[in-house]
């Protein structure tokens, strides 16, 4: 399955600015289905991990308050062209997704 | 119905149920995310509710969010040795929205988009060198982001 994560990594000097968009419903568990009136079960990303060349540079713990199809941007020092950036997430149902890009 | 078949069906159902159980993330601070108040969330996450309001913590949030389902929030901090950044939406059912643990090299500057149920204070909490610092701002919400 193709990854639902899009990554943009822009290198300026030795600082890389990472912008990423993840495809995910991010259901809060409090919303009701407008047709059936039943509560839609919670389904949201709990942990996002960013790794550069296999070293974890940032871990984000999320609750259901993060918007649908989450956007996340962060910056990392000490990166160089050719480094591999990997973004992965795990949601509350144990589903995962990941994507890799080469910093340039 | 014959007994072995019934047993088999039951066993199979149990296996399916087990497999469907969510994989529990050990690092995910469930208690902090399930907390119903800002102080409980702070307590669960940092073991204390005392955070010094600091101008070094820069919280970027709109004055008015037209759509509470997508409120852009950014937090940056000029302090050294920032270990983590958390974003709390005071009036949300579960106030803690996101918490970022910064590893080596990561700059204290993150942005994301959050859901806000109604007009509320948004609080950024930064842990730097073992100390807690915070900044807050009220964001007015015209259309709520919960349910709808």
């Amino acid at each position: 399955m193709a990854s639902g994560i899009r990554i943009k990594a822009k290198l300026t000097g030795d600082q890389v600015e990472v912008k990423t968009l993840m495809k995910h419903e991010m259901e809060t568990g409090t919303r009701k289905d407008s047709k059936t009136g039943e509560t839609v079960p919670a389904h949201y990303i709990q942990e996002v991990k960013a790794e550069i060349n296999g070293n974890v540079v940032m871990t984000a713990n999320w609750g259901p308050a993060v918007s649908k199809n989450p956007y996340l941007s962060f910056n990392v020092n000490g990166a160089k062209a050719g480094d591999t950036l990997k973004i992965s997430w795990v949601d509350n149902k144990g589903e995962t997704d990941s994507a890799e890009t080469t910093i340039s | 119905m014959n007994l072995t078949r019934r047993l088999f069906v039951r066993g199979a159902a149990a296996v399916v149920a087990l497999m469907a159980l969510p994989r529990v993330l050990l690092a995910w601070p469930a208690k902090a995310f399930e907390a119903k108040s800002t102080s409980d969330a702070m307590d669960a996450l940092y073991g204390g509710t005392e955070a010094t309001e600091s101008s070094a913590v820069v919280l970027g949030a709109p004055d008015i969010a037209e759509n509470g389902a997508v409120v852009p929030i950014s937090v940056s901090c000029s302090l050294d040795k920032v270990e983590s950044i958390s974003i709390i939406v005071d009036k949300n059912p579960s106030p803690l929205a996101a918490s970022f643990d910064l590893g080596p090299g990561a700059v204290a500057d993150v942005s994301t988009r959050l859901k806000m149920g109604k007009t509320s204070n948004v609080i950024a909490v930064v842990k730097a060198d073992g100390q807690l610092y915070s900044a807050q701002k009220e964001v007015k919400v015209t259309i709520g982001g919960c349910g709808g």
Side-chain angles (χ1 to χ4, degrees):
Chain A
M1 195 185 87
S3 173
I5 304 179
R6 287 174 58 192
I7 314 173
K8 257 186 193 168
K10 201 174 109 193
L11 192 68
T12 317
D14 74 337
Q15 184 171 331
V16 64
E17 183 190 34
V18 183
K19 290 182 176 173
T20 143
L21 268 175
M22 294 154 240
K23 226 182 193 165
H24 202 284
E25 279 305 310
M26 299 302 284
E27 275 297 341
T28 57
T30 57
R31 196 174 67 92
K32 285 198 167 70
D33 189 296
S34 54
K35 279 182 198 130
T36 61
E38 279 170 29
T39 307
V40 183
H43 188 200
Y44 57 94
I45 295 176
Q46 288 189 313
E47 187 189 82
V48 183
K49 216 178 250 177
E51 292 163 70
I52 292 181
N53 295 337
N55 300 313
V56 177
V57 290
M58 195 214 53
T59 313
N61 291 305
W62 284 354
V66 173
S67 298
K68 180 178 178 177
N69 296 333
Y71 165 81
L72 169 68
S73 97
F74 58 95
N75 297 274
V76 182
N77 277 331
K80 55 185 189 301
D83 284 356
T84 305
L85 172 73
K86 184 182 172 196
I87 305 280
S88 58
W89 58 251
V90 182
D91 70 19
N92 66 323
K93 292 186 181 173
E95 290 165 14
T96 63
D97 196 2
S98 70
E100 271 185 15
T101 187
T102 306
I103 296 171
S104 58
Chain B
M1 198 195 282
N2 96 38
L3 192 62
T4 45
R5 188 188 127 114
R6 191 176 297 180
L7 274 177
F8 173 78
V9 169
R10 245 189 233 160
V15 166
V16 167
L18 264 181
M19 278 164 59
L21 272 180
R23 202 181 94 204
V24 179
L25 278 170
L26 287 175
W28 195 70
K31 233 181 125 190
F33 278 102
E34 282 157 11
K36 300 293 174 218
S37 75
T38 298
S39 52
D40 286 356
M42 287 278 293
D43 209 24
L45 195 61
Y46 292 115
T49 53
E50 291 295 311
T52 319
E53 209 146 308
S54 165
S55 58
V57 180
V58 181
L59 169 66
D63 296 326
I64 297 175
E66 282 180 11
N67 182 357
V70 219
V71 185
I73 305 281
S74 69
V75 181
S76 64
C77 179
S78 55
L79 297 167
D80 285 338
K81 296 189 192 165
V82 173
E83 296 156 33
S84 81
I85 296 176
S86 299
I87 307 171
I88 294 169
V89 182
D90 196 34
K91 296 248 172 71
N92 267 3
S94 305
L96 181 64
S99 176
F100 302 88
D101 293 327
L102 305 181
V107 181
D109 182 359
V110 294
S111 43
T112 184
R113 298 197 278 237
L114 303 181
K115 285 177 256 190
M116 289 180 65
K118 54 185 169 188
T119 299
S120 164
N121 272 330
V122 175
I123 307 162
V125 181
V126 171
K127 188 179 186 185
D129 207 7
Q131 297 289 313
L132 296 180
Y133 302 92
S134 70
Q136 60 176 302
K137 182 178 176 180
E138 192 192 46
V139 177
K140 287 195 164 55
V141 176
T142 36
I143 305 168
C146 293

